[in-house]
Amino acid sequence: MAIRELEPLIVGKVIGDVLDHFIPSIKMSITYSTKLVCNGHELFPSAVSAKPRVEVHGGDLRTFFTLVLTDPDVPGPSDPYLREHLHWIVTDIPGTTDATFGTEIVSYEIPRPNIGIHRFVYILYKQSGRQTVNHLPCSRDNFNARRFAANNNLGLPVAAVFFNAQRETAARRR
């Protein structure tokens, strides 16, 4: 995988605020209805209200993954003192399929920012085996992806992608 794939994560400060530098080794695609999530693109909250299709490419039948969705900009990007807010965790995702075949251990919470433009970060970790994620966060607020990965021996991510969203006004909903 090319290093240039990390560029939007660096420019968007996902690497730094949420993740340590890593080398992507798995391809992950996230699609809401017909919209593919691309790093740094904006999606309206109304477009992300249902769970997305998350596909993992490049794994095999013996490989399992954990997916995390987190918002590092809570309550607002200028003062994110609640950083991070957890939106979703799916574990035991087989390496040849999508997240619907995994085990949802924290239910999907719709991204609905109140103040400013928020980054919503999808992080994919490779598990050492099945059912290896046992240390669950006790709250969605003050979640920390680095600490979660360390507590569950997940290591560095194998893939990450983020989108931006902001509060939707009635005039913007179409």
Side-chain angles (χ1 to χ4, degrees), residues 15-158:
I15 292 180
D17 288 350
V18 182
L19 303 172
D20 292 327
H21 195 279
F22 71 99
I23 305 298
S25 58
I26 293 288
K27 189 102 173 105
M28 171 177 66
S29 61
I30 298 168
T31 311
Y32 283 98
S33 185
T34 60
K35 289 189 184 292
L36 179 68
V37 174
C38 296
N39 276 321
H41 289 205
E42 183 171 353
L43 296 175
F44 295 126
S46 58
V48 297
S49 60
K51 287 181 203 173
R53 178 172 174 84
V54 179
E55 294 177 276
V56 177
H57 312 276
D60 58 47
L61 293 170
R62 296 178 311 276
T63 312
F64 294 92
F65 296 92
T66 293
L67 177 76
V68 172
L69 173 59
T70 184
D71 174 359
D73 299 314
V74 177
S78 60
D79 185 19
Y81 63 86
L82 293 175
R83 172 178 293 165
E84 303 158 31
H85 184 81
L86 177 63
H87 282 267
W88 199 24
I89 297 178
V90 182
T91 65
D92 297 327
I93 302 166
T96 56
T97 186
D98 65 74
T100 57
F101 292 94
T103 304
E104 185 178 67
I105 59 171
V106 176
S107 63
Y108 181 78
E109 181 181 278
I110 300 168
R112 282 199 190 108
N114 284 322
I115 305 164
I117 299 171
H118 289 232
R119 298 164 293 169
F120 292 90
V121 184
Y122 279 97
I123 311 160
L124 188 69
Y125 299 97
K126 184 177 177 182
Q127 296 174 202
S128 58
R130 267 191 95 114
Q131 300 174 337
T132 56
V133 175
N134 299 311
H135 297 86
L136 303 179
C138 50
S139 166
R140 288 183 187 259
D141 286 327
N142 297 301
F143 178 75
N144 183 297
R146 287 180 181 103
R147 186 174 54 239
F148 173 77
N151 289 346
N152 288 286
N153 298 313
L154 294 170
L156 290 172
V158 293

